[in-house]
Structure formats: structure tokens, C-alpha cells
Amino acid sequence: MAAPPVSMFNLAIPEMLFDKVEVDGAPGYETVICAPDPGPVATTGGLDLVVPHGLDAVDAADTVVLAGSGSYTDPDPRILDALRRAAGRGARIASICTGAFALAEAGLLDGRAATTYWTYRQLLADRHPTVDLRGDVLYVQDGPVLTSSGYAAGIDLCLHVIRTDHGSAVANAVARLALVAPVRPGGQAQFTDTPLPPERGVSLAGTRAWAMEHLDAPLTLTDLARHAGVSVRTLSRRFRAETGVSPLQWLLHRRVERARELLETTSLGMEAVARASGLGSADSLRQHVHSRTGLTPSAYRSSFGRVARGPAAGRPV
């Protein structure tokens, strides 16, 4: 949904990412861009975009994504009505950046965890005190409603949606095609998802890449520090400064993501998946996959496995 004046970058993110999804040779989504008034739509950059569809397109969508807009404090009532109708029939609703204001105005964020661009966070809190506003996160999912903070965090939100629908392997393939960072994992998707913070430095990027190639090995802080050529204390300090988490927390996130990919794309037994991902044992695999996804490894494979499965139909967005 493009609410004029719409952010061109916000609007381009879901169109670009969802259109790159391919599952078993078929499109994973059908993406439609709509606006309150079809035709030329003003943007925050001073240009006009031609949007061919009106808001009636929302009534057929499984997922509705509202892009950020310069009119965030005065949302179009027609957009609010369309959002309420979509939520009423059980559609998944998402916003990028300042789009959260319209979701809040429509009453969809009452009592829910949410976020928005950090510059406008206090304004959203003041205008809508019933929203459980979360800071310092890229995106939040609370039930069927998702909100992201500013700009590129919309990429993380869309990759999370793709991962939820089609699994980590598909989402990571889209990330590679779009030349963006892989999916940053979070907590249980059915509750509030708090992913890893964005990386803020590159001095240990080589060590992180090396660790990704050796996730199946019993890596220690000493191993990482030796590869980086620094002390354990310096490694821990720099690692947290660059990633927002400790080295061992980062390793656990990456190992669980590796396990999810192996569950999706191979027929390896649970012990083999645990060893290959560095989680050690089938019991450890079960504990961490269930904590992250709410599913046992076997249930996760049944839901997202891509081995010997039939073609998947596209899902409208």
C-alpha cells in the first residue's frame, strides 16, 4: 500500500524481495501495489509514481504491507478502513518505518508490541500510549501484525516473512539475490521476534566469516581470538561493539540457522544435523530449534522441508 507522499525506498523493498521468491520453480508470491487513488502517486522525493491499483486490491491479499509515508500523522481514512477490513478477515498486516502510525490509528497495535523509526518513536508513544513500543529492534512481530523500524529494517521484516512462509533456505537465497545480509534471526516468530542488531563494524568480519565455515567445530573464545590475532578480552569487546551480542550468542544464532537450513534442504538424521550445525546432539538440536521456532525439528522439517515436495502455489501479497 502506497500512502502519498510515499517513500520510494520503502515501497520498493517488498516488491523487490517478494518478487524474487521462487519455490519449486514457481513464484512464491503475487505482489500487487495499490494506493487510495490509482494513477500518479506523490513520493517523498518529489517524483510521481504511477500505481495502477486501488485499495480494493487489499481485500484479496493474504498479507498487507504499508510503506512509510510523509503523511504518517494524518493517515487517509480509506487506508485505515482497508487495514481494518484486512485485519478483520485474518490477513497478516505489516508496516515499514512510519507506516506504523496508520496501523496504530486503525487500532491494530492496541496492546501489541510494535516499533517504528527511532526518530518518531516518542511521537508514536505519545499519540498511541496503548502500544507496547519496543526500541532498539529492527522489527517486531506480535501475532499477525508486524512493524519495522526505519528504511533498511524493512528488508529484514520482508525476509522474516519469507522465512516464515517458505523457510530459511528460500529466505537466504533471496537475500543473496538481492545482495543484502542474510536473515538475522530472532525469537519465536509467533510471538515477538527480536533479531540480532545490525552489525556496526568490520574489523572482525573475517573472523565471523571463518566461523561460519567452521560452525560444526567446537569453537571457543580462544579459537576466535587466535584467528583474529587479538586477546579474548579484546575479541569479546570488539565483537559486542560490532554485532551487539557476545561471540557465543552470535555463534548460537548462526548454528541454529544452519540447523534450520539442513532440516529444510537435506534428509540427514537429527544427530547428523546437530553435528553438522555445531549443536552437538539431537537433544540440543531439539531444544534450540523449538526455542527459536516453536516447532520440534521433525515438525519444522515437515513444514518447511524442500526434499521431494510438490510444487507450491503462489501466495498473494
Side-chain angles (χ1 to χ4, degrees):
M1 297 174 69
V6 68
S7 163
M8 290 188 291
F9 184 46
N10 278 197
L11 191 63
I13 288 169
E15 187 277 332
M16 175 185 70
L17 295 178
F18 290 133
D19 277 2
K20 290 186 182 299
V21 177
E22 185 175 289
V23 181
D24 298 326
Y29 301 95
E30 175 190 357
T31 307
V32 175
I33 300 176
C34 62
D37 297 301
V41 173
T43 71
T44 54
L47 302 175
D48 284 347
L49 296 175
V50 177
V51 177
H53 300 284
L55 295 182
D56 55 337
V58 174
D59 295 331
D62 293 331
T63 302
V64 179
V65 183
L66 179 62
S69 166
S71 61
Y72 58 92
T73 58
D74 186 28
D76 190 314
R78 294 173 293 177
I79 287 179
L80 300 181
D81 288 343
L83 289 170
R84 293 183 184 116
R85 290 198 309 272
R89 60 180 175 78
R92 180 170 50 191
I93 311 291
S95 68
I96 298 175
C97 196
T98 56
F101 280 81
L103 269 60
E105 189 68 28
L108 305 186
L109 299 183
D110 291 346
R112 293 188 185 275
T115 192
T116 189
Y117 187 46
W118 67 270
T119 302
Y120 306 112
R121 196 177 298 144
Q122 189 58 52
L123 179 60
L124 182 61
D126 293 341
R127 292 173 68 95
H128 300 282
T130 60
V131 177
D132 180 12
L133 202 59
R134 303 295 175 91
D136 301 322
V137 296
L138 295 175
Y139 61 87
V140 174
Q141 176 168 359
D142 192 330
V145 180
L146 303 92
T147 52
S148 74
S149 55
Y151 302 107
I155 295 174
D156 294 282
L157 181 147
C158 291
L159 289 174
H160 168 71
V161 169
I162 295 168
R163 182 180 60 190
T164 299
D165 290 344
H166 300 294
S168 294
V170 173
N172 288 348
V174 171
R176 288 191 292 270
L177 286 172
L179 298 178
V180 297
V183 176
R184 286 175 273 195
Q188 294 185 2
Q190 65 269 37
F191 300 115
T192 299
D193 198 346
T194 305
L196 290 176
E199 293 188 357
R200 297 184 292 271
V202 297
S203 72
L204 295 176
T207 295
R208 290 194 289 274
W210 173 80
M212 289 291 290
E213 296 175 355
H214 296 83
L215 289 178
D216 58 334
L219 298 177
T220 65
L221 290 177
T222 300
D223 295 326
L224 296 173
R226 184 182 299 115
H227 183 275
V230 298
S231 68
V232 169
R233 183 175 180 179
T234 297
L235 173 91
S236 298
R237 175 175 54 80
R238 288 187 185 174
F239 213 102
R240 185 173 290 278
E242 293 185 12
T243 69
V245 295
S246 72
L248 296 183
Q249 287 173 319
W250 182 90
L251 275 173
L252 179 58
H253 274 296
R254 299 309 181 195
R255 282 172 167 154
V256 175
E257 281 301 296
R258 177 65 54 80
R260 290 169 69 170
E261 286 203 47
L262 291 172
L263 289 170
E264 294 171 24
T265 60
T266 75
S267 57
L268 290 173
M270 298 307 167
E271 290 287 354
V273 170
R275 289 194 300 271
S277 60
L279 291 175
S281 68
D283 286 343
S284 178
L285 173 72
R286 179 185 178 87
Q287 173 190 342
H288 290 296
V289 170
H290 188 272
S291 175
R292 182 69 54 79
T293 69
L295 299 172
T296 64
S298 58
Y300 185 87
R301 171 172 277 168
S302 177
S303 297
F304 296 112
R306 300 297 165 193
V307 179
R309 289 184 59 181
R315 296 184 54 165
V317 175

